[in-house]
Each structure stands twice: as structure tokens, then as C-alpha cells.
């Protein structure tokens, strides 16, 4: 049986699950989760941090003149190599993902997170290097595979007995089921509703959700000590989402062949977004749903409401229960499956392999892939420090109305650190001054890390990469925009400017990814 046939069979099995019965089970299991919350099963004696790190693979051009001509072009990662590296599949064949082991929020815990990412990434780079590959941490890739256009790579699909299968997507049934989720009975005559990539200057219709593989992220997790405090922590997380996204912006450009007619380099620089990753994820996946599943979420008043929202969320993929496990959270396996497509930029999570490991946490999802590991972990430390300090000090920014927090978020999508954002400082005064906003934000991040046991100088070091960005008004997105601007001024066409900027980004990252920092790029 071919891979495509096996995937098609898996998609048919997933789509054969009774969606109404699936939703009913999720609602029933939500009551189990709420009871476990009441019983204290999700409480822990201290806060815990974790991290997801997504990367993409590119060719390093070492083997031939042909490969050198396509240097740093996207590459498909052999599945056996992912297993050797200890990484997990992500949506595209070019993607890889690692998840760190949860650690207590402390200086030692953050050091353990940093060391684990560095150790695993170094080993993975060594493995990939044998195959002429390099793993890249970025927000949105711009050089397609050698000999292909980005449009071809993202839209290539085949129909297998009425089921659409994306050629360049990982062989996980859930990903392919998304492309077929609006079908009642798949037949050769059915037409799949297009997934539309919609961003400033780019509109691409596809039969699958493959365009979502353009993007990668880093995702800090913060596990609260007491589940009943989750609503307060969540409310604060929404208020800091815009400012942290602005600091991390790193996806100002698409592959040049994806731009619409009339969008030249000057127009992209003038009207394009700095955080296009947000546009990609929202537009591609929301095109598959009746409600906007990918969105800036609303506050919730209590932890039970968070559970109910997950259970009531639109069912996109009613996957069958895999069975064969004895995890604690198998008691609510359908609820967990439903949570897998509960796509929000900040989201609550309730799970645990055992009762002792059960946890209620916040996944912070707005930050794209960053130039270096050190910068990535700076976001983890800053987010965790803020989650620790803001509730502890009853910071008044919690009173910032939700609409303003949402507007801050999308202002950061458009303009990064140049965005107009509103903040309430520790003194209760409202401000739109960028320096005042970040002085307050990062001071509290350091305070939270000190509360967690970090010495003053160590707390400052974890946050320092982000302070540097504010002081220099420089983010990865602005670095890319400046580079493209310079190349256009030197006479390059837009496609060449974007491609050469991407290559320079990867060149600099090759020297700094594991041990260096983004600020060192400016020293050159």
C-alpha cells in the first residue's frame, strides 16, 4: 500500500467518526476535568516551565554546483533522520520540532531548558550536516526547494479515491484530514473548499492547509502552581501578548513568487506586515472552519469556563480514540483530542500522563522562530517572569480592557516595535510611550525571576536580549527589512534582495544559533 493510499484510508476513518457523538463525549469528559480541578489534581507545589521549538531544514550547498546554486533552499527531512535526531514531525516535510522536559521555574530550571535545547539542537545539526542540511530557526521561510517555486511546493496535492493528500505534508492523518474535513462522503467528484492564504500582498488558494508550513515558532509554556489562578494568569498573558510579539517579530517577507501582481519591493516595505506568521496561521486554518478558530482569545472568569470553551469549540477533526494507553488523562482523551484544534494565540491546557504530572498551563503561541537559542530562551524567561510577578504584585495592567489588548496585538503584527500600543504602568497611569511600556514590562519580568530564586544579575541576564532590542529599536524583522532596503537601494530586484537577505540571515545564524546572540549581528 502506498503512503498516499494509507493516508487516504486514515483520513476516511477520521471523517467517519460521528462528529455529534464526538462533541457529546468531549462535553461529558469536560465534567471529568472540572471534577479533577475541584479535587486539586491539577495543582502543583510550584510553577513549571516548558518550551516548544520549531525549525525548518535547508540545504547547505556542499555537495555540488547545482546544490550551491540553490544554497539554503528548503529541503525535505527524511523521516528516519527525524527519529535519529529525536525530533517530532511538524506539518511540512521540511519541519522538525522539539519539546523540552518541564523544569521548575528557577535559575537552575531555566539553565536546564537552555542546556537541553542547545544539546539537542547541536546533536541534530551534526546529524543533519551529514546529509548536507542545516536546521534554521526563523519565522517564515522564503527560499523554496531547488528547482521548485514556493507556489508549486505549497499547492502540490493528489486525489486518492476522493481524498486530497498534500504531497509535501507529513504523514500525520490529522493534517490531511483538515483538507477534507468539510466533506460528508468523499468522492472523486467532490471539490475541496480552498484554504486561502491571505496576508498583505499575498493571496493563495490551495486544496490543503500546506501553506501553514511556511511558518515556525517558539512557544513558552507556564504551568501554574494552583489551577484556580489560571484565569488571572491568562488575563495577564493576553495583556503582554502584543508587546512580546512586537519584540519577537521575524516574518516580514514571503517567498517572492507568492506576491500578488502590483506588489513590488517598495510597496511591500511600505504596506507589508512585520509578523506575517500571524496572517498565515489565521487565514489558512480559519478558511476551514465556520468560526474563526485561530484568534486572539477572550478572558475567562473562572477555570471551569476555560474547560467549557475547549469542549464547546467547533469540531474540525473528530479523530478516533487511539486507545492502548493508561495515561491519567485518558479519562478525558476525546477532550484532549478536541484541544488539539483549539487554536488560540494564547491557550489554556489541562493534561498529564499521571495524576502527579497533571497540570494546568498556559501555552504562549505568538512568538515566531528567533535568530538564536539564547534569544528564544529570553522569551521563555521573560514570559515566565511576567507570569510570576504580575499577579503577585497585582499589576494594574490587568485592567486594560480586552479590546485594547487585542488591538495592541494586531498593531504589533503590522508594525512590530513601531506599533502604537497602550499600556497601564505600575503606577496606574496609561501610556503609549514605548520606552515606558518596556521598562515596566521587563522590570517586572526580572522581578518575577528574582522571586523564583534567580540572583539579581542572573535575572537581568535572562531578560537582557530583549532589553537590547528595545534600546536599539531592532528586531529580526527590522533587521531583514533594513537589509532588503539596502539591497534595493544598491540596485537589486526585490526577489534577489529577499533571497540574499535570507541567505545572510542563515549565514549569521550558523555562527550564533547555539552559543551566540542576535545582538552580535549588529556588531558586524
Amino acid at each position: 500500500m502506498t503512503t498516499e493510499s494509507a493516508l487516504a484510508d486514515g483520513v476516511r476513518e477520521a471523517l467517519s467518526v460521528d462528529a455529534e457523538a464526538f462533541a457529546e463525549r468531549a462535553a461529558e469528559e469536560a465534567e471529568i476535568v472540572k471534577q479533577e480541578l475541584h479535587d486539586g489534581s491539577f495543582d502543583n507545589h510550584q510553577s513549571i516551565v516548558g518550551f516548544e521549538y520549531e525549525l525548518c531544514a535547508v540545504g547547505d550547498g556542499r555537495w555540488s554546483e547545482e546544490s550551491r546554486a540553490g544554497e539554503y533552499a528548503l529541503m525535505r527531512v527524511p523521516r528516519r533522520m527525524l527519529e535519529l535526531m529525536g525530533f517530532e514531525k511538524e506539518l511540512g516535510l521540511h519541519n522538525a520540532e522539539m519539546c523540552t522536559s518541564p523544569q521548575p521555574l528557577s535559575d537552575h530550571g531555566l539553565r536546564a531548558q537552555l542546556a537541553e535545547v542547545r544539546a539537542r539542537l547541536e546533536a541534530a545539526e551534526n546529524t543533519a550536516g551529514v546529509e548536507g542540511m542545516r536546521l534554521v530557526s526563523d519565522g517564515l521561510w522564503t527560499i523554496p526547494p531547488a528547482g521548485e517555486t514556493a507556489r508549486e511546493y505549497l499547492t502540490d496535492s493528489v486525489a486518492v479515491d476522493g481524498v486530497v493528500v498534500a504531497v509535501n505534508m507529513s504523514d500525520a492523518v490529522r493534517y490531511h484530514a483538515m483538507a477534507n474535513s468539510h466533506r460528508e462522503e468523499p468522492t472523486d467528484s467532490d471539490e475541496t473548499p480552498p484554504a486561502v492564504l491571505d496576508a498583505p500582498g499575498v493571496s493563495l488558494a490551495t486544496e490543503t492547509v500546506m501553506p501553514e508550513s511556511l511558518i515556525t515558532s517558539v512557544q513558552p509554556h507556564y504551568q501554574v502552581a494552583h489551577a484556580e489562578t489560571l484565569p488571572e494568569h491568562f488575563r495577564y498573558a493576553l495583556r503582554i501578548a502584543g508587546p512580546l510579539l512586537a519584540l519577537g517579530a521575524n516574518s516580514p517577507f514571503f517567498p517572492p513568487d507568492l506576491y500578488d501582481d502590483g506588489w513590488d519591493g517598495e510597496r511591500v516595505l511600505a504596506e507589508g506586515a512585520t509578523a506575517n506568521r500571524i496572517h498565515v496561521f489565521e487565514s489558512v486554518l480559519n478558511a476551514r472552519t465556520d468560526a474563526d478558530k485561530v484568534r486572539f482569545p477572550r478572558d475567562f472568569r473562572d477555570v471551569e469556563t476555560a474547560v467549557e470553551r475547549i469542549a464547546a469549540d467547533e469540531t474540525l477533526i473528530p479523530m478516533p480514540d487511539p486507545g492502548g494507553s493508561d495515561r491519567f488523562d485518558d479519562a478525558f482523551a476525546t477532550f484532549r483530542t478536541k484541544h488539539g484544534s483549539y487554536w488560540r494565540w494564547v491557550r489554556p491546557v489541562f493534561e498529564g500522563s499521571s495524576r502527579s504530572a497533571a497540570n494546568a498551563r498556559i501555552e504562549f503561541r505568538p512568538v515566531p522562530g528567533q535568530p538564536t537559542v539564547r534569544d528564544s530562551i529570553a522569551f521563555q524567561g521573560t514570559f515566565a517572569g511576567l507570569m510570576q510577578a504580575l499577579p503577585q504584585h497585582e499589576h494594574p495592567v490587568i485592567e486594560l480592557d480586552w479590546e485594547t489588548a487585542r488591538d495592541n496585538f494586531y498593531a504589533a503584527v503590522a508594525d512590530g516595535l513601531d506599533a502604537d500600543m497602550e499600556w497601564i504602568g505600575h503606577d496606574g497611569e496609561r501610556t503609549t510611550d514605548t520606552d515606558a511600556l518596556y521598562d515596566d514590562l521587563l522590570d517586572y519580568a526580572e522581578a518575577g525571576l528574582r522571586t523564583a530564586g534567580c540572583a539579581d544579575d542572573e535575572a537581568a541576564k535572562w531578560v537582557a536580549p530583549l532589553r537590547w532590542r528595545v534600546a536599539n529599536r531592532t528586531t529580526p524583522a527590522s533587521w531583514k527589512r533594513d537589509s532588503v532596503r539596502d539591497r534595493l537601494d544598491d540596485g537589486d530586484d526585490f526577489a534577489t534582495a529577499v533571497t540574499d537577505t535570507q541567505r545572510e540571515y542563515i549565514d549569521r545564524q550558523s555562527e550564533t544559533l547555539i552559543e551566540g546572540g542576535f545582538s552580535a549581528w549588529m556588531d558586524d
Side-chain angles (χ1 to χ4, degrees), residues 48 69 79 103 109 148 154 194-195 261 290 319 480 492 518 524:
I48 305 290
R79 302 296 88 178
Q103 297 289 343
E148 301 176 63
L154 294 171
D261 293 341
D290 296 324
M319 298 290 290
K480 290 177 180 177
D492 285 349
F518 174 57
D524 296 334

Side-chain angles (χ1 to χ4, degrees), residues 162 164 179-180 182-183 187-194 207 288:
V164 174
N180 300 271
H182 278 61
R183 295 165 175 247
T187 67
D188 290 332
S189 61
D190 279 347
E191 292 186 3
T192 305
E207 289 191 307
R288 292 287 172 194

Side-chain angles (χ1 to χ4, degrees), residues 99-135:
C99 296
T100 62
S101 307
Q103 297 289 343
L105 174 56
S106 64
D107 189 53
H108 289 301
L110 289 172
R111 287 179 181 275
Q113 295 279 295
L114 179 61
E116 181 178 357
V117 172
R118 282 176 167 167
R120 293 177 60 185
L121 187 52
E122 182 178 52
E125 287 279 39
N126 291 336
T127 302
V130 174
E131 301 289 337
M133 289 183 179
R134 185 185 303 281
L135 294 177

Side-chain angles (χ1 to χ4, degrees), residues 180-463:
N180 300 271
S181 60
H182 278 61
R183 295 165 175 247
E184 294 295 329
E185 294 290 336
T187 67
D188 290 332
S189 61
D190 279 347
E191 292 186 3
T192 305
V196 179
L197 167 57
D198 185 15
V202 174
S203 54
L204 176 69
T206 69
E207 289 191 307
T208 74
V209 296
M210 185 62 190
E212 199 252 306
S213 74
L214 278 162
I215 56 177
T216 50
S217 68
V218 293
Q219 297 181 20
H221 296 181
Y222 180 84
Q223 176 180 319
V224 298
H226 302 289
E228 66 180 12
T229 69
L230 193 69
E232 183 183 21
H233 283 89
F234 191 83
R235 188 178 177 95
Y236 276 116
L238 295 185
R239 273 73 189 161
I240 65 176
L244 290 186
L245 172 58
L247 282 177
N250 193 20
S251 51
F253 301 114
F254 285 90
D257 73 273
L258 293 185
Y259 281 98
D260 298 333
D261 293 341
W263 280 76
D264 60 7
E266 295 297 335
R267 187 175 179 187
V268 172
L269 287 173
E271 302 178 35
T274 66
N276 282 300
R277 173 178 167 267
I278 305 298
H279 289 301
V280 172
F281 197 51
E282 287 190 348
S283 63
V284 172
L285 292 178
N286 286 343
R288 292 287 172 194
T289 65
D290 296 324
D292 288 342
K293 287 171 68 69
V294 185
R295 62 180 184 264
F296 189 80
R298 287 196 169 271
D299 304 317
F300 48 83
R301 66 183 181 276
D302 51 51
V303 70
E304 290 80 11
T305 300
V307 175
E308 290 165 1
R309 286 185 183 175
I310 295 170
D313 194 49
E314 179 185 354
T315 299
L316 181 61
I317 313 163
M319 298 290 290
D321 182 356
S325 172
D326 58 356
R327 291 172 56 103
F328 161 75
D329 49 20
D330 279 349
F332 44 96
T334 301
F335 177 87
R336 282 174 52 219
T337 299
K338 185 127 190 215
H339 178 271
S341 65
Y342 185 70
W343 296 309
R344 304 294 189 272
W345 290 116
V346 183
R347 70 177 181 183
V349 180
F350 307 92
E351 67 176 14
S353 58
S354 64
R355 187 175 296 276
S356 62
N359 65 88
R361 68 176 187 267
I362 294 173
E363 291 184 356
F364 191 75
R365 300 159 58 84
V367 182
Q370 296 296 302
T372 74
V373 171
R374 186 66 185 82
D375 287 87
S376 300
I377 299 299
F379 278 97
Q380 182 186 35
T382 298
F383 176 69
L386 288 167
M387 289 294 93
Q388 194 84 354
L390 296 178
Q392 193 172 61
H393 292 275
E394 299 182 351
H395 193 290
V397 78
I398 198 169
E399 298 303 328
L400 189 72
D401 58 277
W402 177 86
E403 288 78 10
T404 301
R406 178 199 57 196
D407 292 346
N408 284 347
F409 183 81
Y410 288 104
V413 171
D415 298 318
L417 267 182
D418 293 329
D420 293 326
M421 293 182 286
E422 185 174 332
W423 183 256
I424 301 177
H426 66 90
D427 56 2
E429 296 295 322
R430 291 180 179 264
T431 182
T432 57
D433 180 82
T434 299
D435 288 322
L437 185 164
Y438 284 109
D439 281 347
D440 191 51
L441 184 88
L442 298 179
D443 283 351
Y444 273 85
E446 288 187 23
L449 293 177
R450 290 195 297 271
T451 300
C454 295
D456 290 359
D457 60 337
E458 292 299 329
K461 285 180 182 178
W462 290 117
V463 177

Side-chain angles (χ1 to χ4, degrees), residues 253 256 480 483-488 492-502:
F253 301 114
K480 290 177 180 177
S483 181
V484 167
R485 171 79 275 165
D486 290 344
R487 286 176 163 83
L488 291 176
D492 285 349
D493 61 76
F494 178 58
T496 300
V498 171
T499 299
D500 285 352
T501 292
Q502 181 74 82

